[in-house]
Amino acid sequence: MTHYDIHSIRADFPILKTKVNGHPLVYLDNGATTQKPQSVINAITDYYTQINSNVHRGVHHLSQLATDAYEVTRRKLSEFINATHDYEVILTNGTTHSINLVANCYGKQFVEAGDEIMISEMEHHSNIVPWQMLCEERGAKLRVIPITDTGELDMEAYRTMLNERVKLVAITYVSNTLGTLNPMQEIIKLAHGLDIPVLVDAAQAIQHLHIDVQALDVDFLAFSGHKMYGPTGVGVLYGKEKWLDRMPPYQGGGDMIKEVRFEKTTYNELPFKFEAGTPNIEAGICLGASVDYIKTIGLSQIALYEAELLKYATKVLSEIDQIRFIGTAKEKCSVISFLVNGAHPYDVGVILDKLGIAVRTGHHCTQPLMERFGILGTVRASIAMYNTKEDIDLLVEAVKKAASMLL
Ligand SMILES: Cc1ncc(COP(=O)(O)O)c(C=O)c1O
């Protein structure tokens, strides 16, 4: 890890200097949202002080600057995931919006009564509810791939469940609750064997591992800006041109049209067909700055560093007697979920907060997964590029303290 300068990385994130309840902030809630580097914060100020204007509309100078900057972000995102064409990158307001877009537009075009949509037992509500709504509307069936006790997808079950009635497989790359890293290449290959397209929820993957949509051959990829060190209110739906072209628009309004007549409207080309109305211009532009930041540090360096930290955290936490891990898959990424046996996760979270440590407690928007494990929730620590072994040591001390107070 010679090139990974953790001190200078931490110095790039001003909020990490904050004190919480008199203690230095230990931020381990990165699965919920990540902190922002100064370059992203500066980009927001620069946008409003220098080029604020609407995009894709005006001929005037500022509007052109804003449009160019917005499109530069699309270019950067497209390169970041190695899309074949920039117009396969639709700017949405986040993962949830991206998945709902596919459920609505792909669903309208391709899903009929008796068809099946396949998800897994470890999905975030954002990758469950849109499909449930679609299935209800179309008379289709939602099929759920089970997971094992360690929190891995039951690949044998997946193989047997695949059939020609399945119209789409929608699966998370990394589980936000278990940290499981799913074998996406294999999942996609198996689905493609029956010509079934695959949507990958990359909300917890895009900031941790290199995703090449062409190498993966994924049909749709959804992720959020705010989980990759960028602003809230912006995200991405990548879709293969062959699908996006055949899907009807999501919402109607400005920008998504070619010509509007009362008798009939024709729609704009990709990507604008799916981008109705004024977008979150500031967030869109500044997401480009977060891509730049990640590239400066290097995703492979980040992945190595985080993997080492996750291994360390797992080891030192497992030395606490009362700890029970939820999610012990062989391949994991960033997330550790646990219970301090006998204590409510919320109570543990409150004590950790008193000691300056931010973790997430509860069901993590994965209630069916909690049901699968017969629990109400967990304590979740999720790692980002700026966390340190000292953060983990402080977490361990705080969990021990919580255990001594609560049990
Ligand atoms: C795996 C996963 N999918 C989807 C989402 C939803 O993301 P957003 O709220 O940014 O739309 C999250 C957020 O935590 C997530 O972890």
Side-chain angles (χ1 to χ4, degrees), residues 31-32 94-97 99 124 126 172 174 176 201 203-204 224 226-227:
T95 309
T96 305
H97 179 192
I99 297 174
H124 187 280
S126 294
T172 193
V174 173
N176 64 308
D201 173 351
Q204 299 292 343
S224 300
H226 71 97
K227 293 183 196 286

Side-chain angles (χ1 to χ4, degrees), residues 103-158:
N104 273 270
C105 306
Y106 176 89
K108 236 179 234 160
Q109 190 68 22
F110 296 104
V111 180
E112 291 171 2
D115 287 343
E116 297 177 4
I117 300 288
M118 208 181 267
I119 60 171
S120 87
E121 214 171 5
M122 69 174 84
E123 299 309 315
H124 187 280
H125 296 164
S126 294
N127 201 28
I128 300 174
V129 186
W131 306 115
Q132 261 174 342
M133 291 162 75
L134 169 69
C135 288
E136 248 169 56
E137 190 191 302
R138 313 298 285 187
K141 197 169 169 194
L142 191 68
R143 307 283 312 278
V144 183
I145 308 158
I147 60 166
T148 65
D149 290 343
T150 56
E152 282 158 327
L153 266 189
D154 182 339
M155 290 299 285
E156 217 26 68
Y158 174 55

Side-chain angles (χ1 to χ4, degrees), residues 7-29:
H7 298 295
S8 89
I9 291 173
R10 286 183 68 80
D12 289 336
F13 290 81
I15 207 169
L16 297 180
K17 298 186 188 82
T18 305
K19 289 208 164 177
V20 173
N21 294 320
H23 299 273
L25 168 68
V26 173
Y27 189 76
L28 289 166
D29 193 19

Side-chain angles (χ1 to χ4, degrees), residues 91-377:
L91 287 162
T92 63
N93 55 34
T95 309
T96 305
H97 179 192
S98 300
I99 297 174
N100 275 278
L101 191 162
V102 179
N104 273 270
C105 306
Y106 176 89
K108 236 179 234 160
Q109 190 68 22
F110 296 104
V111 180
E112 291 171 2
D115 287 343
E116 297 177 4
I117 300 288
M118 208 181 267
I119 60 171
S120 87
E121 214 171 5
M122 69 174 84
E123 299 309 315
H124 187 280
H125 296 164
S126 294
N127 201 28
I128 300 174
V129 186
W131 306 115
Q132 261 174 342
M133 291 162 75
L134 169 69
C135 288
E136 248 169 56
E137 190 191 302
R138 313 298 285 187
K141 197 169 169 194
L142 191 68
R143 307 283 312 278
V144 183
I145 308 158
I147 60 166
T148 65
D149 290 343
T150 56
E152 282 158 327
L153 266 189
D154 182 339
M155 290 299 285
E156 217 26 68
Y158 174 55
R159 274 191 201 90
T160 33
M161 287 166 74
L162 278 173
N163 69 80
E164 63 290 344
R165 288 184 304 279
V166 179
K167 287 293 169 318
L168 188 98
V169 174
I171 292 198
T172 193
Y173 208 146
V174 173
S175 158
N176 64 308
T177 301
L178 307 171
T180 308
L181 174 63
N182 283 318
M184 211 39 80
Q185 198 102 41
E186 194 186 345
I187 290 167
I188 293 171
K189 213 166 157 202
L190 286 166
H192 284 180
L194 290 175
D195 291 330
I196 303 164
V198 178
L199 176 143
V200 172
D201 173 351
Q204 299 292 343
I206 193 76
Q207 65 285 52
H208 301 297
L209 42 119
H210 181 60
I211 298 179
D212 178 330
V213 291
Q214 291 189 65
L216 209 51
D217 200 20
V218 63
D219 299 275
F220 299 103
L221 187 86
F223 55 93
S224 300
H226 71 97
K227 293 183 196 286
M228 54 184 293
Y229 312 101
T232 44
V234 67
V236 167
L237 172 68
Y238 158 82
K240 277 186 188 165
E241 182 179 12
K242 72 167 180 178
W243 295 118
L244 295 178
D245 257 350
R246 292 153 75 193
M247 284 158 47
Y250 186 26
Q251 294 175 317
D255 237 19
M256 54 73 76
I257 53 91
K258 202 173 257 166
E259 266 189 341
V260 179
R261 300 240 156 68
F262 285 122
E263 298 71 35
K264 182 164 176 59
T265 289
T266 50
Y267 304 126
N268 208 339
E269 58 210 18
L270 293 176
F272 309 111
K273 179 171 106 178
F274 293 107
E275 295 181 353
T278 299
N280 191 337
I281 305 167
E282 153 229 321
I285 290 173
C286 299
L287 181 54
S290 78
V291 171
D292 290 342
Y293 186 80
I294 292 171
K295 283 174 75 176
T296 307
I297 309 299
L299 254 184
S300 38
Q301 287 286 92
I302 293 171
L304 276 174
Y305 178 80
E306 290 179 347
E308 205 173 279
L309 205 52
L310 183 67
K311 206 164 125 198
Y312 178 72
T314 309
K315 178 179 164 287
V316 288
L317 278 169
S318 69
E319 285 158 10
I320 303 174
D321 287 342
Q322 299 91 339
I323 281 268
R324 176 185 159 203
F325 291 115
I326 306 294
T328 49
K330 268 196 216 82
E331 298 293 331
K332 282 189 62 171
C333 183
S334 160
V335 171
I336 294 198
S337 254
F338 59 91
L339 288 168
V340 179
N341 265 341
H344 196 290
Y346 177 83
D347 294 337
V348 177
V350 169
I351 293 173
L352 297 194
D353 177 58
K354 293 273 176 281
L355 298 166
I357 299 172
V359 291
R360 180 88 180 262
T361 65
H363 56 63
H364 316 298
C365 297
T366 54
Q367 276 185 332
L369 181 61
M370 296 296 95
E371 222 174 293
R372 159 69 176 78
F373 282 99
I375 55 178
L376 288 173

